[in-house]
């Protein structure tokens, strides 16, 4: 019997192997053929090896990530049309902004079904300016051709519906990208001093400047704790933090920089508290993984962040872009007893297993996939 074929299309390959590996393995077990379409990135060697181990084909396609470039974006659209026509998949699953827009248009031209996941909005579409108007129009036009549009939180779904970017009848919620919550049981730290860690892509929008500013203020009190920063540089992003900035913070003994990793559990093992003062997320995978690793969390009271923290139960919520609010939450965490922090961590673990486990996410996607592929 011929296998149903699904193309998973995203901006860079790491996005697929890091966020969609559980879903891919699930679909392979259900006897689907999977093809991945994306551009290379700094972690491509590791990502390509993951796909080789899974015996999955990868088709490289160039994509400009530096804002909108009509010529480059048109080339990307044409390339996707050719790939989709040649591959003749039963379904294309699109993730990240440009695949969601241009990939969905390409699917329509190629005559294949598109399923979209809006991973998060970002500041570009929320700001009221000329660029955001163009982006909204592109979303509105492209999503006309989508069979189903998944959102990772209700705030993002409501934004799209209220701005008439998508018909509510074709929307649904999926609780993140799916985390194997049971695999994070061995992340207990053995620190002599309380250790805070911010791990994310190194972008301004992740609240890194607020983190640094809060630490500077806290250090004036000579607190017996340590602050870490980890993650991958993303120089193609307008919000990128520079290597020079990170070196300056290290030289001033504000933070210790850990770099990037293929195995985030190694970072969790040396951290007691996870901090993410992000301006907005789709649904933060790092926070879900941190919760799965039994870590108390400090994050912002914003879409995609607040969904992973019940304030005072498994962590604290601070106000977005507020150094003082972040500082106060860190102080509150320091003032807790060790047993209170351990209890918060246990609450995190229970929440992650109940709300965000990969099995729940995979079943939501599979229900829609089966419906489409049986048509």
């Amino acid at each position: 019997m011929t296998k149903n074929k699904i193309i998973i299309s995203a901006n860079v390959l790491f996005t697929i192997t890091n966020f969609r590996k559980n879903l891919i393995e699930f679909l392979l077990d259900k006897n689907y053929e999977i093809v991945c379409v994306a551009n290379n990135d700094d972690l491509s060697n590791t990502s390509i090896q993951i796909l080789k181990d899974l015996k999955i084909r990868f088709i490289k396609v160039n994509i400009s990530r530096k804002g909108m470039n009509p010529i480059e974006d048109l080339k990307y659209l044409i390339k996707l049309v050719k790939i989709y026509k040649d591959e003749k998949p039963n379904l294309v699953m699109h993730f990240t902004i440009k695949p969601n827009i241009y990939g969905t248009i390409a699917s329509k031209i190629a005559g294949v079904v598109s399923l979209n996941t809006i991973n998060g909005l970002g500041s570009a579409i929320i700001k009221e300016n000329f660029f955001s108007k163009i982006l909204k129009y592109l979303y509105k036009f492209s999503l006309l051709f989508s069979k189903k549009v998944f959102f990772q939180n209700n705030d993002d779904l409501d934004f799209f519906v209220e701005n008439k970017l998508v018909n509510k009848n074709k929307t649904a919620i999926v609780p993140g990208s799916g985390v194997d919550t049971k695999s994070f049981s061995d992340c207990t730290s053995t620190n002599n001093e309380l250790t805070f860690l911010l791990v994310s892509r190194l972008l301004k929008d992740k609240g890194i400047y607020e983190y640094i500013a809060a630490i500077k203020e806290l250090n004036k009190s000579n607190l017996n704790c340590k602050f870490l920063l980890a993650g991958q540089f993303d120089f193609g992003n307008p919000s990128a933090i520079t290597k020079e900035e990170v070196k300056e913070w290290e030289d001033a003994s504000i933070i210790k920089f850990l770099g990037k990793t293929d195995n985030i559990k190694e970072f969790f093992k040396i951290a007691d508290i996870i901090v993410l003062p992000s301006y907005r997320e789709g649904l933060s995978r790092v926070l879900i993984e941190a919760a799965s690793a039994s870590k108390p969390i400090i994050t912002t009271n914003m879409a995609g962040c607040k969904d992973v923290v019940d304030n005072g139960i498994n962590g604290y919520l601070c106000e977005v872009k507020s150094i003082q609010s972040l500082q106060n939450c860190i102080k509150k965490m320091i003032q807790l007893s060790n047993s209170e922090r351990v209890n918060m961590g246990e609450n995190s673990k229970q929440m992650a297993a109940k709300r965000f486990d990969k099995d729940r996410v995979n079943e939501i996607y599979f229900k829609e996939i089966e419906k489409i592929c049986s048509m």
Side-chain angles (χ1 to χ4, degrees):
M1 188 174 73
T2 305
K3 289 184 179 181
N4 285 319
K5 182 193 290 187
I6 296 175
I7 288 179
I8 295 183
S9 181
N11 55 1
V12 292
L13 188 53
F14 174 75
T15 300
I16 296 176
T17 56
N18 188 58
F19 296 106
R20 308 298 159 191
K21 186 185 174 192
N22 288 324
L23 177 61
I24 289 170
E25 290 173 333
F26 176 86
L27 293 173
L28 290 174
D29 285 343
K30 297 291 186 181
N31 205 34
Y32 281 81
E33 179 186 352
I34 306 296
V35 178
C36 294
V37 175
N39 202 354
N40 286 334
D41 57 88
D42 291 345
L43 295 173
S44 281
N45 289 338
T46 302
S47 297
I48 288 169
Q49 187 57 53
I50 289 171
L51 296 188
K52 282 182 178 177
D53 292 343
L54 293 171
K55 297 181 174 59
I56 289 174
R57 282 190 297 123
F58 166 54
I59 301 174
K60 179 182 179 296
V61 57
N62 291 326
I63 177 172
S64 171
R65 297 180 62 215
K66 295 181 180 180
M68 288 184 182
N69 183 321
I71 294 173
E72 292 301 317
D73 291 348
L74 181 59
K75 288 179 182 176
Y76 174 63
L77 171 63
I78 292 169
K79 180 66 174 176
L80 288 184
V81 171
K82 184 178 187 309
I83 291 169
Y84 296 172
K85 281 185 174 180
D86 289 346
E87 291 293 328
K88 298 180 176 61
N90 300 84
L91 169 67
V92 184
M93 300 180 72
H94 292 109
F95 301 91
T96 64
I97 296 172
K98 289 195 177 182
N100 270 322
I101 291 172
Y102 300 112
T104 307
I105 297 169
S107 297
K108 174 64 176 176
I109 295 170
V112 297
V113 181
S114 174
L115 188 154
N116 300 70
T117 299
I118 308 296
N119 310 81
L121 302 192
S123 57
I125 195 171
I126 296 168
K127 292 176 181 176
E128 288 299 327
N129 55 30
F130 179 69
F131 180 76
S132 71
K133 287 178 181 176
I134 293 175
L135 194 55
K136 285 175 184 175
Y137 172 79
L138 288 171
Y139 266 125
K140 185 173 184 176
F141 176 71
S142 62
L143 294 181
L144 289 171
F145 310 121
S146 176
K147 185 72 175 176
K148 193 83 172 181
V149 184
F150 285 106
F151 292 84
Q152 295 188 333
N153 65 68
N154 283 300
D155 296 74
D156 290 355
L157 190 157
D158 291 343
F159 180 89
F160 266 64
V161 172
E162 287 166 9
N163 283 274
K164 298 181 171 58
L165 306 183
V166 68
N167 185 326
K168 188 172 184 178
N169 292 332
K170 64 163 70 173
T171 65
I173 292 288
V174 60
S177 53
V179 170
D180 183 357
T181 57
K182 298 181 186 68
S183 70
F184 287 85
S185 59
D186 56 343
C187 295
T188 304
S189 56
T190 56
N191 296 314
N192 293 322
E193 54 186 340
L194 194 63
T195 301
F196 294 80
L197 167 65
L198 191 163
V199 53
S200 72
R201 282 187 299 152
L202 298 177
L203 302 174
K204 174 186 174 183
D205 293 354
K206 300 297 182 180
I208 293 174
Y209 288 150
E210 287 80 4
Y211 181 59
I212 296 300
I215 296 167
K216 285 180 180 177
E217 288 300 311
L218 289 162
N219 282 344
K220 294 175 183 177
S221 303
N222 295 315
L223 300 169
N224 184 30
C225 53
K226 185 191 297 184
F227 297 94
L228 309 176
L229 175 67
Q232 182 180 7
F233 289 100
D234 190 356
F235 301 122
N237 194 301
S239 177
I241 302 289
T242 67
K243 285 185 178 180
E244 290 74 22
E245 287 174 301
V246 173
K247 186 177 187 306
E248 183 182 315
W249 298 334
E250 271 211 293
D251 290 346
S253 300
I254 298 168
I255 50 94
K256 179 180 179 183
F257 181 56
L258 305 178
K260 61 188 179 184
T261 182
D262 298 331
N263 182 8
I264 199 168
K265 287 193 283 187
E266 296 306 312
F267 286 168
F268 289 155
K269 287 176 184 177
I270 56 175
D272 302 300
I273 316 294
I274 303 303
V275 183
L276 186 67
S278 177
Y279 297 174
R280 193 180 183 108
E281 299 284 325
L283 189 57
S284 172
R285 185 181 180 88
V286 164
L287 293 185
I288 295 171
E289 290 174 335
S292 303
S294 303
K295 303 295 176 182
I297 294 166
I298 296 172
T299 191
T300 48
N301 188 24
M302 291 297 291
C305 298
K306 64 182 180 181
D307 307 76
V308 191
V309 171
D310 290 336
N311 196 38
I313 305 299
N314 71 311
Y316 295 120
L317 294 173
C318 64
E319 296 309 308
V320 68
K321 300 183 183 179
S322 171
I323 297 163
Q324 185 64 56
S325 181
L326 175 59
Q327 186 181 324
N328 290 342
C329 286
I330 294 173
K331 276 184 179 176
K332 281 199 288 186
M333 194 65 76
I334 293 170
Q335 290 164 357
L336 293 178
S337 68
N338 185 58
S339 62
E340 286 173 322
R341 286 191 292 268
V342 168
N343 187 53
M344 269 195 172
E346 283 301 311
N347 292 338
S348 276
K349 184 177 180 180
Q350 290 173 22
M351 174 196 285
K354 182 179 178 181
R355 299 184 190 174
F356 307 116
D357 191 76
K358 65 182 178 67
D359 292 342
R360 187 176 176 212
V361 171
N362 290 343
E363 284 299 334
I364 291 171
Y365 275 122
F366 188 59
K367 184 178 178 181
E368 195 62 35
I369 290 167
E370 283 279 87
K371 195 187 303 180
I372 291 168
C373 291
S374 64
M375 289 169 60

